[in-house]
Amino acid sequence: MPSEIWPYITPGIPDEMFEHLPGIPMSQREVRLLLIAQLRLQPDSVLWDIGAGTGTIPVEVGLLCPGGQIIAVERDEEVANLIRRNCDRFEVKNVEVIEGSAPDCLQELKPTPHRVCIEGGRPIQEILQAVWDYLPPTGRVVATAANLESLYAISQSFSQLRARNIEVVQSAVNRLEMRGFSQTFAAVDPIFILSGEKLD
């Protein structure tokens, strides 16, 4: 459902339209589009977004799936309030923000998810193991890795959990920018996006 400031049915809200805080991660637009594509959402999907940061994924998914439910998990109160402000800014009504640390807080989340997005969290293997228990058969997890350690940890976890239909995509995006009097291309930090499904 479009909002007043983003009156479109397509995702891809420009980064600068979100309120953000220094040092708080934000999934950049092109990476966000890849991540949302990997989630394979349905109109009424329940999505848990763990380590939701600025709240870009909850906002985009909330607009795409007004009949769905999004639970954004963020451990820091100030960052959780940032997510709430971004949801208000885009008139998103179907996002619930939970202040807590995964995996400890997961047992409190209701309803259980069809899809899980993991954008952060230091004990990534523990988080993956924990969310797997809440997923129904054919449930899907999408996780991002910004470094080789996270890439290895997520890949190893998918193997241990016997995930099926595993996909790994690495973003390679360049944006046109003005530098002085010249137009040049600047690279967006590459991110690995890993996805897998639970067996029937």
Side-chain angles (χ1 to χ4, degrees):
M1 181 183 295
S3 71
E4 190 172 325
I5 62 171
W6 186 250
Y8 311 106
I9 60 169
T10 51
I13 299 170
D15 298 341
E16 61 271 14
M17 292 183 72
F18 290 95
E19 182 183 340
H20 59 276
L21 293 171
I24 302 306
M26 180 170 75
S27 299
Q28 293 181 292
R29 179 176 58 186
E30 295 84 358
V31 173
R32 206 181 314 136
L33 289 168
L34 288 170
L35 199 156
I36 290 170
Q38 292 295 78
L39 283 170
R40 298 182 186 169
L41 297 161
Q42 295 180 320
D44 59 350
S45 288
V46 175
L47 169 68
W48 288 2
D49 186 11
I50 298 171
T54 305
T56 57
I57 295 293
V59 166
E60 296 262 28
V61 172
L63 291 172
L64 273 174
C65 304
Q69 292 179 264
I70 300 96
I71 298 175
V73 177
E74 184 53 59
R75 64 175 177 239
D76 184 88
E77 180 183 2
E78 186 179 12
V79 182
N81 287 330
L82 173 66
I83 298 168
R84 293 184 182 102
R85 290 196 301 274
N86 275 319
C87 288
D88 290 343
R89 180 178 176 82
F90 288 92
E91 305 166 55
V92 177
K93 307 296 185 192
N94 54 345
V95 174
E96 181 183 2
V97 181
I98 301 294
E99 293 174 33
S101 293
D104 299 337
C105 70
L106 298 182
Q107 60 189 12
E108 302 164 21
L109 306 187
K110 297 285 187 276
T112 54
H114 304 111
R115 303 288 185 263
V116 176
C117 177
I118 304 175
E119 298 185 83
R122 277 187 279 276
I124 188 72
Q125 290 178 302
E126 289 177 46
I127 293 171
L128 262 168
Q129 181 72 55
V131 300
W132 206 254
D133 294 335
Y134 293 99
L135 279 174
T138 73
R140 190 168 178 82
V141 171
V142 177
T144 59
N147 54 57
L148 284 175
E149 290 78 13
S150 294
L151 175 64
Y152 176 75
I154 296 167
S155 178
Q156 186 180 48
S157 294
F158 275 159
S159 176
Q160 291 169 348
L161 294 166
R162 296 186 176 181
R164 66 172 191 170
N165 298 330
I166 295 171
E167 294 182 45
V168 182
V169 176
Q170 184 194 23
S171 64
V173 176
N174 295 284
R175 291 178 175 175
L176 187 66
E177 292 184 358
M178 287 296 298
R179 295 199 179 160
F181 297 106
S182 300
Q183 291 182 316
T184 186
F185 285 94
V188 172
D189 289 340
I191 297 287
F192 289 95
I193 301 169
L194 299 90
S195 57
E197 292 178 0
K198 193 170 183 178
L199 284 167
D200 293 339

